[in-house]
Amino acid sequence: MNWDWGAVRDFMPHFWDGLLVTLQALALGSVISFALGLVWALLMRTPTRWVRWPVGVVTEFIRNTPLLVQLFFLFYVLPEWSITFSALTTGVVAIGLHYSTYTMQVYRAGIEGVPAGQWEAATALNLPLRRTWTAVILPQAIRRVVPALGNYVISMLKDTPMLMAITVLEMLGEARLYSQEHFQFTEPLTVIGVAFILISYPASLLLRALERRLVR
């Protein structure tokens, strides 16, 4: 096998385009998953059964069905109901929605890990419920779960190639298109593999360091 540096050079403009799309999908998907996961977690703590039950059913369904199936559903089925988004928007929503059901569990663990004395102190101070959550409970809970949330960001990064299935040209999509047009597969796919390692491995080291710092 001969390594063709010319193919690497020709592929790089496509790689940067794909990297930009990958990072956009990752950033926006992470925002959706973090925000929606917190909403799910708070709704699951409401005393009203008719709120908890539908939220539990919806989140269990999303968590236990493949992301690829959800991508296809949003991209191909919703337009039949006159609900249409761009391919990238569909991918971002699908990733954010799917992973929100996992971040929900992370938030729940963080909230349940707040010592009971904190709740009792807020009650003794006669703090309003909203103030109790925003000033006492959530700051402590979120601090505990930051490393776990970061792990899901890495998982989302590794799932972005699935967006290729709905025509989004992220990194792997660009590599596949270039390979098919030029009949050169080794160089672009190797570049993509190295790129994922260069992004995810340093991020995992950073998360470990952050976890050690937060548990002190």
Side-chain angles (χ1 to χ4, degrees), residues 73 77-84:
F73 182 87
V77 177
L78 288 188
E80 296 183 4
W81 300 344
S82 300
I83 303 174
T84 305

Coordinates of all heavy atoms in Angstrom, one line a residue, residues 73 77-84:
F73 N -36.6 8.9 11.4 CA -37.9 9.3 11.7 C -38.1 10.8 11.5 O -39.0 11.3 10.9 CB -38.3 8.9 13.1 CG -39.8 9.3 13.4 CD1 -40.8 8.4 13.1 CD2 -40.1 10.5 14.1 CE1 -42.1 8.7 13.4 CE2 -41.4 10.8 14.4 CZ -42.4 9.9 14.0
V77 N -40.0 11.1 8.2 CA -41.5 11.0 8.6 C -42.1 12.3 8.9 O -43.2 12.6 8.4 CB -41.6 10.1 9.8 CG1 -43.1 10.0 10.2 CG2 -41.1 8.7 9.4
L78 N -41.4 13.2 9.6 CA -41.9 14.5 9.9 C -42.4 15.3 8.7 O -43.4 16.0 8.8 CB -41.0 15.3 10.8 CG -40.8 14.8 12.2 CD1 -40.0 15.8 13.0 CD2 -42.1 14.6 12.9
P79 N -41.6 15.3 7.6 CA -42.1 16.1 6.4 C -43.4 15.6 5.9 O -44.2 16.4 5.3 CB -41.0 15.8 5.4 CG -39.7 15.6 6.2 CD -40.2 14.8 7.4
E80 N -43.8 14.4 6.2 CA -45.1 13.9 5.8 C -46.2 14.6 6.6 O -47.4 14.6 6.2 CB -45.2 12.4 5.9 CG -44.3 11.6 5.0 CD -44.5 10.1 5.1 OE1 -45.4 9.7 5.8 OE2 -43.7 9.4 4.4
W81 N -45.8 15.1 7.7 CA -46.8 15.9 8.6 C -46.5 17.4 8.4 O -47.0 18.2 9.3 CB -46.6 15.5 10.0 CG -46.9 14.1 10.3 CD1 -47.5 13.1 9.5 CD2 -46.5 13.3 11.5 NE1 -47.5 11.9 10.1 CE2 -46.9 12.0 11.3 CE3 -45.8 13.6 12.7 CZ2 -46.7 11.0 12.3 CZ3 -45.6 12.7 13.6 CH2 -46.1 11.4 13.4
S82 N -45.9 17.8 7.3 CA -45.6 19.2 7.0 C -44.7 19.8 8.0 O -44.8 21.0 8.3 CB -46.9 20.0 6.9 OG -47.7 19.4 5.9
I83 N -43.8 19.0 8.7 CA -42.8 19.6 9.6 C -41.5 19.3 9.0 O -41.0 18.1 8.9 CB -42.9 18.9 11.0 CG1 -44.3 19.1 11.6 CG2 -41.9 19.5 11.9 CD1 -44.6 18.3 12.9
T84 N -40.8 20.3 8.5 CA -39.6 20.2 7.7 C -38.5 21.0 8.3 O -38.7 22.2 8.6 CB -39.8 20.6 6.3 OG1 -40.9 19.8 5.7 CG2 -38.6 20.3 5.4

